[in-house]
Every structure is written in C-alpha cells, then in structure tokens.
Amino acid sequence: MIKNYIKIAWRNISKNKGYSTINIIGLAIGLACCLLIAIYVQNELSYDKYHVNKDRIYRIVHDYKDISSTEQHQIWGNGPIGEAIKADFPEIEKVVQFSGQTSILLKQGDKRFQEENVFFMDSTAFDVFSWKVLAGDPHTALKNAYSVVLTESTAKKYFGDQNPIGKTLEGGLAAGRADAGLYTVTAVMADVPANSHFTFDALLSMSTFRNARPDVFNKEGWDYVDFYTYFLASKDFDPVKFDQKIPEFLKRNLPTNENPNAKYNFHIEPLLQAYMHSSADRQPGTNGSYQNLYIFSIIGGFILLIACVNFMNLATSRSMERAKEVGVRKTIGASKSNLIFQFMSESLVLVFVSSILAILLVMAFLPFLETFSGKHLNYSSLKDGTTWAIFLFTTIFTGLLAASYPALILANFNPITVLKGSYSNSKGGILLRRVLVVFQFCLSIALIAGTVVVFSQLDQLQHRDLGFQKDQRLVIDYNFDDKVNNNLEAIKSTLAKDKDVLSVTASRTVPGTFFPNAGTEIMSANGTMSQFAPFLYEVDVDFIPNIGLQMAAGRAYSRDFPADTVHSLVINESAAKQWGYSNPQDIIGKQFRQWGREGTVIGVVKDFNYLSLHRKIEPLALRLEPSSSRYLTLNIQHVNQPETVARIGKLWNELVPNRPFLYSFLDDNFNRQYEADFNFRRLFTAFSGLALFIACLGLLGLVTYTAQQRTKEIGVRKVLGASIYNLILLLSSDFIKLLAVALLIATPLSWMAMKKWLDNFAYHIEPQWWMFVFAGFATIIIALVTVSFQTLKAAKANPVDSLRDE
C-alpha cells in the first residue's frame, strides 16, 4: 500500500504541474530559509564552545560607582587583581591576563606591516584557552620578555613556508613604548576560530609589558586600567560562594588611599556568556545580539508558516477534484485512517522533493549569507549534526502541519454525497482559506513595514548631524611613532602646504576609534573638588576647529595662550552637567586636576556624537597633549580626491620613510561602528523579500484556481456585457479586501515590534503612520501585479469555450 500511495502521489504531482511547482518552490524556499537561519543561529550560539574547559573559564567584570551612584561595568580593568585572586582563592587554578588591543609595526627584512589585532598576554594563556599550537612549546612560548606567538596566517605573511621558530621580528619603532624591541618567534598557532568573542593575529609576552611598567601591577596600581583578567576554576568551583568572598577580598587588597568619591567592586562572568549575554563595556572583541537571533528565528518561522499556509490553502481549495476519488475509495472499503495516511504520504513526497531542492538552494546561497551577515560561514557548517537534526525535524513537522488539515478534510467526505455530485466547498473551508490568506499577508506587511523602519533608522545613522564634521577628513595612522610626534609641527606645516589641504590636526583619538578614561577632579557646583572619570581625547591645538566642534562656553585651545599646554582643560556639555553645572558658562574658570596637571577649565564644547548613536553622549575631556598623538587628520577639499590622496601619500613617504602610509576617511571610521546594524538590515531585507515572494506564490495559485472554478461565471458575465475591467475587479476584489484586513491587523503589531527594536538606539526615529501605509500599499501592488496576468487571461478568455457543454 505504501508503494501504491507513493505512486499515486507522484501521479498527482505530475498531473498538476502548476499546483505542484508552486507548492514545491514555496516549501523549498521556506525550508532553505529556515536552514540558512539555523546555520546562522548555530554559529552565533557556538562562540567559545571549542575550549576544552569552557564551563570552568570565567572573567572579571569591574564595577565602578561614582558619587551620583551611577554604576558602570567594564571588562577592561586593573592589573593587580590577577595576582591577588590567584593568591587568595585556592579554587582558582590558573589566571591569564592580557592587555587592551595593541597596534604594532612589525618588520622582517623588507616586509613591514602594522598589525592592529595584537595583545600582550600571560604565559598561562594556553593552559586556560584551547588554542591549537602548531609549533613551539605552548607552556613556555610567552614566558620570556620579547617573545611573540604568531598565528599561522601571520607567520606566512612574514616568513612564507620557512620555519619561523627562533627567527626575530623588529617591533615598535617608538622609543619608550612597551612594545618597542626585537621579538623572537617562540611558537606558531592555528588561526583563532572565527567563533571566538575576541581574536588576534599575534601575541606578545606580558612579561615584556611587566618589565616596562612594573608599577601598574603592584598593590598601588588598582587605578591603572589596561587589562583583561580571565581564570580557570577548579571542577568543584561554586560561583555563588566565590561572590560571597569578594567584599572581604577587596578589604584586604584595595589600597588604603582608595578614592572616597567612587566605589570599586567586581563580579565574575562565565566565558560562555561573553559573546551573547554580556552587557559590560570595553569588551576585548565584538558582541552578538540575542535580540537579532530572536528576530531572525521568528522570520524563519514566519517564512515556513507562509509556505505551509500556501500548501493548506491550495490543498483545501482543490479538494473538489479529489472528492470523487475519496468517495470511490471509501465505497470499496478504505478506512478514514487509510485515507489520512494516503494524503499524508502525498504531502511528505512533496516535502521530500522540496527538501532536496532546499539543500541545493542552501549550498548555492550560503556564500551570500556569509557576505550579508559578515560572519565566517562556509560549507563546513553543513556538517554540524545539530543543524541537520533541526532541518530534519523542521522538514517532517512542515509536512505533517501542511498536510494535516487537508488530509482530515478529504478523509471526512461523505461518499454518497460526493458520488452524487452534490458536494461543494463548505463555508468553513472558505473561511479558513480567507483567514490563512489574511495571516500570510499580516506577516508580509509586518516584514515590509519593519524593513522600512530599519532603512529609515540606519539612514539617520548616516545622515544625522553629529555635532562635528566627518566628511572630507583624511586620517593618517602613524601609531604614536616618536619620530612623527617629535617633529609634529614641522610635518603638519609641510602637509598643510598642499593646495587641497585646508587644515591639519594631531590627536590620540578620532571619532570611531579607541579612547581611554581619565580620573579628573573639578570643583563642583557645591564648591568641593569632585572626581569622575570622563572619557578622554588627547588633542593638539588645532583639533577643535579642524573637525568643526562648536563652543558652548569659553574658548578653545589657542597658541596665543602658552599656559594652555599645562594649565587648561576643555570639556563637553555632558561633563559640565556631571559636575553639576546646567549652564556651561558657570564651569569656566573652575579648578581641575587631571593626571598630574592642574589649572582651570577654559572652555566647554557643545555635545557631539563621538560615540555610536546606540549610546547617549557621555562626559568627555579634551586634554591638550599633542605628544601622545597617534593620528593626523587632514581636512581636504572634495575636488580631485584620489589625486590629493596619492600626492599626500608620496609626500608622507618622503617625510616619514620609516612608516607606511596608512590612511582612512573619518566618516568610514565612524560608520564602522554600525557594521552589525547594516548586516542586520541586509539579512532582514532579504528574508522579508523571500517571505513576500512565497506569499505571492500562494496567492498566484489561489487566483489561478479561483479563475478555473469560475470559468462559466466569467463566460456568462462576458456574454451579458461585462468589461475586462469589471471581470478583473471581480476576481481581485476578494483578495484586496483580505489584504486591507491584514493591514489593519499588522500595523499595530509591527509598530510595537519595531518600537522595541528602536529602543536599542539612544537616538532613534519614531515609527510614522506612512511607513505602515506604504507597507500595506506595497503589498497590495505586489499582489495585484502577481495576480494581474492570470486575471487578465481569464477575463480575455473566449466565453464560447467556457460555456460549451462538457
């Protein structure tokens, strides 16, 4: 019987090619989308799980509370805590600390590259983390000062196919820097897996840093922030008991001169929460978004549901064609269960064919998903057993769900009624099909509206007035090179002579790049010296006018005031408010102390968005410190930009032959913060478009079948004088009404969903009514275009053919 069921199923598929094609393509796209989304979600959830001791690795999260009781949580913290917790907690087996991400110019022969993704790291790194070492001893590789471990790809870049162990790389080239010196390659490791919450291209021994700055690791160095601290706990480690011991630990170890205006604490966070669940600032790498995973999972479910709805709609609408077959089968003894099993078998055959096509679609479009998502996804993702288990379950579930209602309907036909020819579609079946069509287009309208909102928000990110000028700013990265900083004014003057260069400034930071915090005391509104730790920009005298900052009070730094170099400070409006001055003019002339410097506040710049628009503008101090600069920012004219950049590059190579000409544009640097958002937009748009396409496929099938069922009615109306316009309106009006109902339902639901997504941005648009109206009209127009060919064909048909007796 099973063989017979499969044979009958295949005959029905072959006989009804149009109906079968729509179902197979719709289901295949739905299953392919689900598999692609499953691969993406699995990849996001797999971060850091390759470590052997992943369940026993934790990291320190540093908690800072200021006098206003505002608490901040940072992964980036002090150095002394590493040795202290190892000494005080026997349940900690190994501690590994590493610095903030470091940039270093490495040279080997005539090869030189500025490596941006480098860390100083303790020798215990390979005892805690499960990175694969290809050559060298992992236990001693980072033990000695000026040792370096290279990843495989970095080693090949410098040494090709040679064995690099024991060879040297010249690093730093900036006198006085901890990273300057001759490094010996002690090990080569496999490239860090892409599903790691932080990655790197090389590791420098932390002992190099410790030798250069021993003061920041001693018991008085708790205020110096530049390290990440991870540890491997014993198998019987209890996080709750550990947390209970922290207060006593801090009493024993914090220096006695702890800042009275701020409170320091810490807690621990499991490694497996680092990528997806951590909300702390100053991460060593990028973070994922659990919300985005939910959104894509829901979209995948929507797409599959739309495909299932198509199947159910078409199957129930065509039930009349199978009615006599059911009647005959029941008459000769087929039971209800036999019929249900038969129709379920037919459905599973369709789903099986669809699943094969879906796998082919996944293999074809996986590279596009990799590009859209910005993730390292490849065909090896298809080897994951969990992914295939999900796909198999989804395929079977889809087949059973899509076939359940049609099978039950067909199995319940009364054989006497259908064999008399008096059976017709029930009102219940018609109502169900209408409900399913409304459901389909509710989802489609919601996804289109969501796409409009996402595009509008990200358009604002690119075009919002940020309070500074980021266009036409050419940024040269020379990585703190002392040969540049010692001749800064001369180099700036030479570059400024170019006919297309309007101004030049130097700074440690530009918007979109790294910046530190600075413990700063300023006389508050109540007359006391209060300390906060605002973010810090170390700039030269030309920085404020060069990037177009506006003054809210006081003045900018000036060469006319020599005291500015050591006795003046400029802050932003948010910093003035933090010290209690709602009117920025009132803080002008107030005393300050910051990093060994004392003087008065001379100016307040208007708040500008130096952070991503995901975050509110934070307090900022702009310290005049050109000797700490890393970047030169050139304000250049728009005309002949490529020629200008080439000319400046040639001039740079003459002025600073020891440094490569590494440049970027300030707007690109800043927009790089939104890379994850733009990836989200691409994925959201692509999957939304697929959902609408599948919905339109189903609509096309329904309209085609409706036109076939109403052939005689159309013929009679044409004979009685109905125009083509009247007939098209007749065939389309029912669907337009259903789309209007879908719009009314989808609008409030999608508005609430997108409002929640927009809350991730400190500065966001408000969803507008026109966005949802646009989504509704777009859906209606796409639906009309979809059905227009079939309705026009039916309306133009010769009534003689349709009215001729069978």
Side-chain angles (χ1 to χ4, degrees), residues 4-45:
N4 179 260
Y5 291 155
I6 294 174
K7 184 185 294 184
I8 297 297
W10 186 253
R11 286 176 179 172
N12 275 305
I13 291 172
S14 303
K15 179 182 177 183
N16 302 291
K17 291 183 177 64
Y19 155 80
S20 301
T21 300
I22 288 174
N23 261 338
I24 289 171
I25 291 176
L27 282 171
I29 294 174
L31 289 169
C33 286
C34 279
L35 184 52
L36 287 170
I37 289 173
I39 290 171
Y40 174 79
V41 171
Q42 279 292 111
N43 179 74
E44 289 291 277
L45 296 178

mmCIF file of all heavy atoms in Angstrom, residues 4-45:
data_model
loop_
_atom_site.group_PDB
_atom_site.id
_atom_site.type_symbol
_atom_site.label_atom_id
_atom_site.label_comp_id
_atom_site.label_asym_id
_atom_site.label_seq_id
_atom_site.Cartn_x
_atom_site.Cartn_y
_atom_site.Cartn_z
ATOM 1 N N ASN A 4 1.934 1.974 -3.338
ATOM 2 C CA ASN A 4 0.806 2.496 -4.113
ATOM 3 C C ASN A 4 0.560 3.963 -3.788
ATOM 4 O O ASN A 4 0.318 4.790 -4.678
ATOM 5 C CB ASN A 4 -0.446 1.666 -3.822
ATOM 6 C CG ASN A 4 -1.666 2.181 -4.572
ATOM 7 O OD1 ASN A 4 -2.496 2.878 -4.000
ATOM 8 N ND2 ASN A 4 -1.774 1.841 -5.854
ATOM 9 N N TYR A 5 0.628 4.310 -2.498
ATOM 10 C CA TYR A 5 0.422 5.701 -2.090
ATOM 11 C C TYR A 5 1.451 6.619 -2.739
ATOM 12 O O TYR A 5 1.131 7.713 -3.236
ATOM 13 C CB TYR A 5 0.522 5.839 -0.574
ATOM 14 C CG TYR A 5 -0.613 5.201 0.195
ATOM 15 C CD1 TYR A 5 -0.439 4.789 1.515
ATOM 16 C CD2 TYR A 5 -1.861 5.018 -0.395
ATOM 17 C CE1 TYR A 5 -1.467 4.209 2.237
ATOM 18 C CE2 TYR A 5 -2.906 4.428 0.306
ATOM 19 C CZ TYR A 5 -2.709 4.017 1.625
ATOM 20 O OH TYR A 5 -3.731 3.446 2.332
ATOM 21 N N ILE A 6 2.705 6.158 -2.746
ATOM 22 C CA ILE A 6 3.774 6.970 -3.322
ATOM 23 C C ILE A 6 3.570 7.124 -4.828
ATOM 24 O O ILE A 6 3.755 8.202 -5.393
ATOM 25 C CB ILE A 6 5.152 6.347 -3.017
ATOM 26 C CG1 ILE A 6 5.418 6.397 -1.504
ATOM 27 C CG2 ILE A 6 6.258 7.069 -3.778
ATOM 28 C CD1 ILE A 6 6.677 5.676 -1.080
ATOM 29 N N LYS A 7 3.112 6.008 -5.470
ATOM 30 C CA LYS A 7 2.869 6.064 -6.913
ATOM 31 C C LYS A 7 1.740 7.046 -7.239
ATOM 32 O O LYS A 7 1.851 7.858 -8.157
ATOM 33 C CB LYS A 7 2.503 4.665 -7.425
ATOM 34 C CG LYS A 7 2.331 4.587 -8.932
ATOM 35 C CD LYS A 7 1.850 3.208 -9.355
ATOM 36 C CE LYS A 7 2.910 2.154 -9.082
ATOM 37 N NZ LYS A 7 2.484 0.808 -9.596
ATOM 38 N N ILE A 8 0.651 6.967 -6.458
ATOM 39 C CA ILE A 8 -0.480 7.879 -6.668
ATOM 40 C C ILE A 8 -0.040 9.321 -6.422
ATOM 41 O O ILE A 8 -0.422 10.245 -7.156
ATOM 42 C CB ILE A 8 -1.659 7.515 -5.746
ATOM 43 C CG1 ILE A 8 -2.198 6.113 -6.078
ATOM 44 C CG2 ILE A 8 -2.771 8.552 -5.843
ATOM 45 C CD1 ILE A 8 -2.761 5.993 -7.475
ATOM 46 N N ALA A 9 0.768 9.502 -5.374
ATOM 47 C CA ALA A 9 1.254 10.848 -5.050
ATOM 48 C C ALA A 9 2.055 11.415 -6.204
ATOM 49 O O ALA A 9 1.877 12.579 -6.597
ATOM 50 C CB ALA A 9 2.106 10.800 -3.790
ATOM 51 N N TRP A 10 2.937 10.601 -6.762
ATOM 52 C CA TRP A 10 3.765 11.080 -7.868
ATOM 53 C C TRP A 10 2.922 11.386 -9.103
ATOM 54 O O TRP A 10 3.192 12.351 -9.823
ATOM 55 C CB TRP A 10 4.841 10.030 -8.199
ATOM 56 C CG TRP A 10 5.810 10.532 -9.230
ATOM 57 C CD1 TRP A 10 5.917 10.167 -10.519
ATOM 58 C CD2 TRP A 10 6.807 11.546 -9.018
ATOM 59 N NE1 TRP A 10 6.909 10.865 -11.154
ATOM 60 C CE2 TRP A 10 7.477 11.719 -10.249
ATOM 61 C CE3 TRP A 10 7.184 12.308 -7.916
ATOM 62 C CZ2 TRP A 10 8.503 12.638 -10.417
ATOM 63 C CZ3 TRP A 10 8.227 13.214 -8.075
ATOM 64 C CH2 TRP A 10 8.869 13.373 -9.311
ATOM 65 N N ARG A 11 1.890 10.562 -9.348
ATOM 66 C CA ARG A 11 0.997 10.834 -10.484
ATOM 67 C C ARG A 11 0.259 12.153 -10.319
ATOM 68 O O ARG A 11 0.088 12.915 -11.272
ATOM 69 C CB ARG A 11 -0.017 9.690 -10.637
ATOM 70 C CG ARG A 11 0.583 8.411 -11.210
ATOM 71 C CD ARG A 11 -0.444 7.297 -11.234
ATOM 72 N NE ARG A 11 0.110 6.063 -11.798
ATOM 73 C CZ ARG A 11 -0.526 4.903 -11.802
ATOM 74 N NH1 ARG A 11 -1.750 4.804 -11.256
ATOM 75 N NH2 ARG A 11 0.035 3.837 -12.335
ATOM 76 N N ASN A 12 -0.197 12.424 -9.084
ATOM 77 C CA ASN A 12 -0.885 13.689 -8.831
ATOM 78 C C ASN A 12 0.045 14.883 -9.022
ATOM 79 O O ASN A 12 -0.354 15.923 -9.537
ATOM 80 C CB ASN A 12 -1.454 13.712 -7.406
ATOM 81 C CG ASN A 12 -2.817 13.057 -7.342
ATOM 82 O OD1 ASN A 12 -3.736 13.431 -8.070
ATOM 83 N ND2 ASN A 12 -2.955 12.050 -6.493
ATOM 84 N N ILE A 13 1.307 14.728 -8.583
ATOM 85 C CA ILE A 13 2.284 15.814 -8.764
ATOM 86 C C ILE A 13 2.506 16.052 -10.261
ATOM 87 O O ILE A 13 2.541 17.199 -10.720
ATOM 88 C CB ILE A 13 3.619 15.457 -8.065
ATOM 89 C CG1 ILE A 13 3.433 15.462 -6.545
ATOM 90 C CG2 ILE A 13 4.716 16.433 -8.463
ATOM 91 C CD1 ILE A 13 4.636 14.943 -5.777
ATOM 92 N N SER A 14 2.658 14.963 -11.019
ATOM 93 C CA SER A 14 2.899 15.086 -12.457
ATOM 94 C C SER A 14 1.695 15.661 -13.186
ATOM 95 O O SER A 14 1.834 16.432 -14.142
ATOM 96 C CB SER A 14 3.253 13.713 -13.047
ATOM 97 O OG SER A 14 4.362 13.172 -12.384
ATOM 98 N N LYS A 15 0.492 15.269 -12.750
ATOM 99 C CA LYS A 15 -0.736 15.722 -13.414
ATOM 100 C C LYS A 15 -0.975 17.204 -13.191
ATOM 101 O O LYS A 15 -1.393 17.926 -14.095
ATOM 102 C CB LYS A 15 -1.920 14.899 -12.893
ATOM 103 C CG LYS A 15 -3.248 15.303 -13.503
ATOM 104 C CD LYS A 15 -4.382 14.477 -12.910
ATOM 105 C CE LYS A 15 -5.734 14.922 -13.458
ATOM 106 N NZ LYS A 15 -6.845 14.169 -12.844
ATOM 107 N N ASN A 16 -0.735 17.662 -11.968
ATOM 108 C CA ASN A 16 -0.995 19.064 -11.618
ATOM 109 C C ASN A 16 0.342 19.806 -11.477
ATOM 110 O O ASN A 16 0.774 20.156 -10.382
ATOM 111 C CB ASN A 16 -1.776 19.148 -10.315
ATOM 112 C CG ASN A 16 -3.085 18.394 -10.386
ATOM 113 O OD1 ASN A 16 -4.004 18.795 -11.094
ATOM 114 N ND2 ASN A 16 -3.169 17.278 -9.675
ATOM 115 N N LYS A 17 0.993 19.996 -12.612
ATOM 116 C CA LYS A 17 2.350 20.548 -12.590
ATOM 117 C C LYS A 17 2.390 21.962 -12.002
ATOM 118 O O LYS A 17 3.292 22.298 -11.234
ATOM 119 C CB LYS A 17 2.929 20.552 -14.006
ATOM 120 C CG LYS A 17 3.214 19.165 -14.556
ATOM 121 C CD LYS A 17 3.860 19.256 -15.921
ATOM 122 C CE LYS A 17 4.224 17.864 -16.472
ATOM 123 N NZ LYS A 17 3.061 17.029 -16.697
ATOM 124 N N GLY A 18 1.425 22.799 -12.385
ATOM 125 C CA GLY A 18 1.429 24.177 -11.886
ATOM 126 C C GLY A 18 1.258 24.231 -10.377
ATOM 127 O O GLY A 18 2.031 24.894 -9.664
ATOM 128 N N TYR A 19 0.251 23.509 -9.903
ATOM 129 C CA TYR A 19 -0.022 23.441 -8.457
ATOM 130 C C TYR A 19 1.182 22.864 -7.718
ATOM 131 O O TYR A 19 1.617 23.383 -6.690
ATOM 132 C CB TYR A 19 -1.274 22.585 -8.268
ATOM 133 C CG TYR A 19 -1.406 21.904 -6.925
ATOM 134 C CD1 TYR A 19 -1.865 22.593 -5.809
ATOM 135 C CD2 TYR A 19 -1.103 20.545 -6.777
ATOM 136 C CE1 TYR A 19 -1.998 21.964 -4.577
ATOM 137 C CE2 TYR A 19 -1.233 19.902 -5.565
ATOM 138 C CZ TYR A 19 -1.687 20.622 -4.462
ATOM 139 O OH TYR A 19 -1.815 19.993 -3.249
ATOM 140 N N SER A 20 1.747 21.800 -8.255
ATOM 141 C CA SER A 20 2.886 21.149 -7.598
ATOM 142 C C SER A 20 4.113 22.045 -7.599
ATOM 143 O O SER A 20 4.861 22.113 -6.610
ATOM 144 C CB SER A 20 3.214 19.832 -8.304
ATOM 145 O OG SER A 20 2.100 18.965 -8.271
ATOM 146 N N THR A 21 4.347 22.744 -8.714
ATOM 147 C CA THR A 21 5.514 23.628 -8.797
ATOM 148 C C THR A 21 5.439 24.735 -7.760
ATOM 149 O O THR A 21 6.434 25.040 -7.080
ATOM 150 C CB THR A 21 5.613 24.243 -10.212
ATOM 151 O OG1 THR A 21 5.748 23.188 -11.168
ATOM 152 C CG2 THR A 21 6.805 25.181 -10.311
ATOM 153 N N ILE A 22 4.255 25.340 -7.634
ATOM 154 C CA ILE A 22 4.085 26.408 -6.647
ATOM 155 C C ILE A 22 4.352 25.878 -5.243
ATOM 156 O O ILE A 22 5.051 26.503 -4.442
ATOM 157 C CB ILE A 22 2.671 27.014 -6.752
ATOM 158 C CG1 ILE A 22 2.545 27.851 -8.028
ATOM 159 C CG2 ILE A 22 2.348 27.860 -5.518
ATOM 160 C CD1 ILE A 22 1.154 28.369 -8.300
ATOM 161 N N ASN A 23 3.795 24.713 -4.947
ATOM 162 C CA ASN A 23 3.989 24.141 -3.611
ATOM 163 C C ASN A 23 5.441 23.767 -3.353
ATOM 164 O O ASN A 23 5.991 24.053 -2.283
ATOM 165 C CB ASN A 23 3.110 22.900 -3.442
ATOM 166 C CG ASN A 23 1.840 23.227 -2.673
ATOM 167 O OD1 ASN A 23 1.782 24.207 -1.943
ATOM 168 N ND2 ASN A 23 0.828 22.407 -2.840
ATOM 169 N N ILE A 24 6.070 23.134 -4.337
ATOM 170 C CA ILE A 24 7.453 22.687 -4.154
ATOM 171 C C ILE A 24 8.394 23.881 -4.008
ATOM 172 O O ILE A 24 9.248 23.916 -3.111
ATOM 173 C CB ILE A 24 7.892 21.772 -5.317
ATOM 174 C CG1 ILE A 24 7.167 20.419 -5.214
ATOM 175 C CG2 ILE A 24 9.406 21.569 -5.322
ATOM 176 C CD1 ILE A 24 7.350 19.524 -6.427
ATOM 177 N N ILE A 25 8.223 24.889 -4.881
ATOM 178 C CA ILE A 25 9.106 26.057 -4.809
ATOM 179 C C ILE A 25 8.888 26.812 -3.495
ATOM 180 O O ILE A 25 9.849 27.202 -2.821
ATOM 181 C CB ILE A 25 8.868 26.991 -6.016
ATOM 182 C CG1 ILE A 25 9.363 26.313 -7.299
ATOM 183 C CG2 ILE A 25 9.581 28.329 -5.819
ATOM 184 C CD1 ILE A 25 9.086 27.101 -8.559
ATOM 185 N N GLY A 26 7.603 27.001 -3.130
ATOM 186 C CA GLY A 26 7.312 27.705 -1.880
ATOM 187 C C GLY A 26 7.894 26.990 -0.678
ATOM 188 O O GLY A 26 8.540 27.603 0.181
ATOM 189 N N LEU A 27 7.661 25.666 -0.613
ATOM 190 C CA LEU A 27 8.198 24.891 0.519
ATOM 191 C C LEU A 27 9.724 24.848 0.491
ATOM 192 O O LEU A 27 10.371 24.928 1.543
ATOM 193 C CB LEU A 27 7.644 23.464 0.471
ATOM 194 C CG LEU A 27 6.211 23.270 0.980
ATOM 195 C CD1 LEU A 27 5.731 21.857 0.678
ATOM 196 C CD2 LEU A 27 6.108 23.544 2.469
ATOM 197 N N ALA A 28 10.311 24.739 -0.699
ATOM 198 C CA ALA A 28 11.773 24.681 -0.810
ATOM 199 C C ALA A 28 12.400 25.980 -0.308
ATOM 200 O O ALA A 28 13.384 25.955 0.447
ATOM 201 C CB ALA A 28 12.188 24.411 -2.250
ATOM 202 N N ILE A 29 11.836 27.115 -0.716
ATOM 203 C CA ILE A 29 12.379 28.400 -0.263
ATOM 204 C C ILE A 29 12.195 28.535 1.243
ATOM 205 O O ILE A 29 13.099 29.001 1.954
ATOM 206 C CB ILE A 29 11.709 29.571 -1.016
ATOM 207 C CG1 ILE A 29 12.086 29.530 -2.495
ATOM 208 C CG2 ILE A 29 12.123 30.909 -0.401
ATOM 209 C CD1 ILE A 29 11.370 30.559 -3.347
ATOM 210 N N GLY A 30 11.024 28.127 1.740
ATOM 211 C CA GLY A 30 10.783 28.201 3.176
ATOM 212 C C GLY A 30 11.765 27.342 3.962
ATOM 213 O O GLY A 30 12.344 27.790 4.961
ATOM 214 N N LEU A 31 11.966 26.108 3.510
ATOM 215 C CA LEU A 31 12.910 25.211 4.197
ATOM 216 C C LEU A 31 14.348 25.715 4.067
ATOM 217 O O LEU A 31 15.134 25.625 5.022
ATOM 218 C CB LEU A 31 12.795 23.800 3.623
ATOM 219 C CG LEU A 31 11.506 23.038 3.980
ATOM 220 C CD1 LEU A 31 11.396 21.770 3.134
ATOM 221 C CD2 LEU A 31 11.485 22.682 5.458
ATOM 222 N N ALA A 32 14.695 26.248 2.877
ATOM 223 C CA ALA A 32 16.055 26.768 2.683
ATOM 224 C C ALA A 32 16.322 27.952 3.610
ATOM 225 O O ALA A 32 17.395 28.048 4.217
ATOM 226 C CB ALA A 32 16.254 27.179 1.228
ATOM 227 N N CYS A 33 15.327 28.834 3.730
ATOM 228 C CA CYS A 33 15.482 29.984 4.634
ATOM 229 C C CYS A 33 15.662 29.513 6.072
ATOM 230 O O CYS A 33 16.504 30.042 6.814
ATOM 231 C CB CYS A 33 14.273 30.902 4.532
ATOM 232 S SG CYS A 33 14.214 31.867 3.016
ATOM 233 N N CYS A 34 14.865 28.526 6.460
ATOM 234 C CA CYS A 34 14.985 28.001 7.824
ATOM 235 C C CYS A 34 16.356 27.387 8.064
ATOM 236 O O CYS A 34 16.958 27.576 9.125
ATOM 237 C CB CYS A 34 13.896 26.961 8.079
ATOM 238 S SG CYS A 34 12.322 27.693 8.498
ATOM 239 N N LEU A 35 16.865 26.651 7.071
ATOM 240 C CA LEU A 35 18.181 26.027 7.234
ATOM 241 C C LEU A 35 19.284 27.085 7.283
ATOM 242 O O LEU A 35 20.207 27.001 8.105
ATOM 243 C CB LEU A 35 18.433 25.044 6.091
ATOM 244 C CG LEU A 35 19.740 24.241 6.162
ATOM 245 C CD1 LEU A 35 19.890 23.544 7.505
ATOM 246 C CD2 LEU A 35 19.812 23.232 5.018
ATOM 247 N N LEU A 36 19.183 28.104 6.437
ATOM 248 C CA LEU A 36 20.173 29.184 6.450
ATOM 249 C C LEU A 36 20.154 29.928 7.788
ATOM 250 O O LEU A 36 21.206 30.231 8.364
ATOM 251 C CB LEU A 36 19.913 30.157 5.294
ATOM 252 C CG LEU A 36 20.270 29.657 3.893
ATOM 253 C CD1 LEU A 36 19.747 30.611 2.836
ATOM 254 C CD2 LEU A 36 21.782 29.483 3.742
ATOM 255 N N ILE A 37 18.956 30.204 8.269
ATOM 256 C CA ILE A 37 18.837 30.903 9.554
ATOM 257 C C ILE A 37 19.340 30.005 10.678
ATOM 258 O O ILE A 37 19.999 30.472 11.619
ATOM 259 C CB ILE A 37 17.386 31.357 9.793
ATOM 260 C CG1 ILE A 37 17.044 32.505 8.834
ATOM 261 C CG2 ILE A 37 17.168 31.790 11.234
ATOM 262 C CD1 ILE A 37 15.593 32.939 8.861
ATOM 263 N N ALA A 38 19.054 28.695 10.586
ATOM 264 C CA ALA A 38 19.545 27.758 11.601
ATOM 265 C C ALA A 38 21.068 27.734 11.622
ATOM 266 O O ALA A 38 21.691 27.699 12.691
ATOM 267 C CB ALA A 38 18.998 26.358 11.333
ATOM 268 N N ILE A 39 21.690 27.787 10.444
ATOM 269 C CA ILE A 39 23.159 27.819 10.365
ATOM 270 C C ILE A 39 23.687 29.088 11.019
ATOM 271 O O ILE A 39 24.655 29.066 11.793
ATOM 272 C CB ILE A 39 23.621 27.715 8.896
ATOM 273 C CG1 ILE A 39 23.340 26.316 8.348
ATOM 274 C CG2 ILE A 39 25.100 28.048 8.765
ATOM 275 C CD1 ILE A 39 23.559 26.182 6.856
ATOM 276 N N TYR A 40 23.030 30.206 10.719
ATOM 277 C CA TYR A 40 23.450 31.492 11.301
ATOM 278 C C TYR A 40 23.295 31.478 12.816
ATOM 279 O O TYR A 40 24.210 31.882 13.548
ATOM 280 C CB TYR A 40 22.618 32.615 10.681
ATOM 281 C CG TYR A 40 22.858 33.975 11.299
ATOM 282 C CD1 TYR A 40 23.977 34.719 10.945
ATOM 283 C CD2 TYR A 40 21.977 34.510 12.231
ATOM 284 C CE1 TYR A 40 24.209 35.965 11.513
ATOM 285 C CE2 TYR A 40 22.202 35.749 12.802
ATOM 286 C CZ TYR A 40 23.313 36.470 12.435
ATOM 287 O OH TYR A 40 23.545 37.699 13.001
ATOM 288 N N VAL A 41 22.139 31.013 13.294
ATOM 289 C CA VAL A 41 21.886 30.980 14.741
ATOM 290 C C VAL A 41 22.856 30.021 15.433
ATOM 291 O O VAL A 41 23.407 30.348 16.498
ATOM 292 C CB VAL A 41 20.418 30.579 15.021
ATOM 293 C CG1 VAL A 41 20.198 30.313 16.504
ATOM 294 C CG2 VAL A 41 19.474 31.677 14.539
ATOM 295 N N GLN A 42 23.068 28.844 14.842
ATOM 296 C CA GLN A 42 24.002 27.887 15.432
ATOM 297 C C GLN A 42 25.402 28.473 15.524
ATOM 298 O O GLN A 42 26.112 28.274 16.516
ATOM 299 C CB GLN A 42 24.041 26.604 14.585
ATOM 300 C CG GLN A 42 22.892 25.651 14.860
ATOM 301 C CD GLN A 42 22.985 25.047 16.252
ATOM 302 O OE1 GLN A 42 22.177 25.343 17.123
ATOM 303 N NE2 GLN A 42 23.981 24.212 16.481
ATOM 304 N N ASN A 43 25.794 29.200 14.490
ATOM 305 C CA ASN A 43 27.115 29.829 14.518
ATOM 306 C C ASN A 43 27.203 30.856 15.648
ATOM 307 O O ASN A 43 28.203 30.905 16.375
ATOM 308 C CB ASN A 43 27.389 30.508 13.169
ATOM 309 C CG ASN A 43 28.738 31.198 13.139
ATOM 310 O OD1 ASN A 43 29.777 30.562 13.064
ATOM 311 N ND2 ASN A 43 28.738 32.519 13.205
ATOM 312 N N GLU A 44 26.168 31.661 15.821
ATOM 313 C CA GLU A 44 26.173 32.669 16.879
ATOM 314 C C GLU A 44 26.205 32.029 18.268
ATOM 315 O O GLU A 44 26.840 32.547 19.185
ATOM 316 C CB GLU A 44 24.938 33.572 16.752
ATOM 317 C CG GLU A 44 24.967 34.518 15.568
ATOM 318 C CD GLU A 44 26.017 35.606 15.724
ATOM 319 O OE1 GLU A 44 25.751 36.613 16.384
ATOM 320 O OE2 GLU A 44 27.126 35.422 15.188
ATOM 321 N N LEU A 45 25.512 30.913 18.408
ATOM 322 C CA LEU A 45 25.455 30.244 19.715
ATOM 323 C C LEU A 45 26.672 29.364 19.983
ATOM 324 O O LEU A 45 26.811 28.833 21.088
ATOM 325 C CB LEU A 45 24.178 29.396 19.810
ATOM 326 C CG LEU A 45 22.853 30.164 19.769
ATOM 327 C CD1 LEU A 45 21.675 29.202 19.812
ATOM 328 C CD2 LEU A 45 22.753 31.167 20.924
#
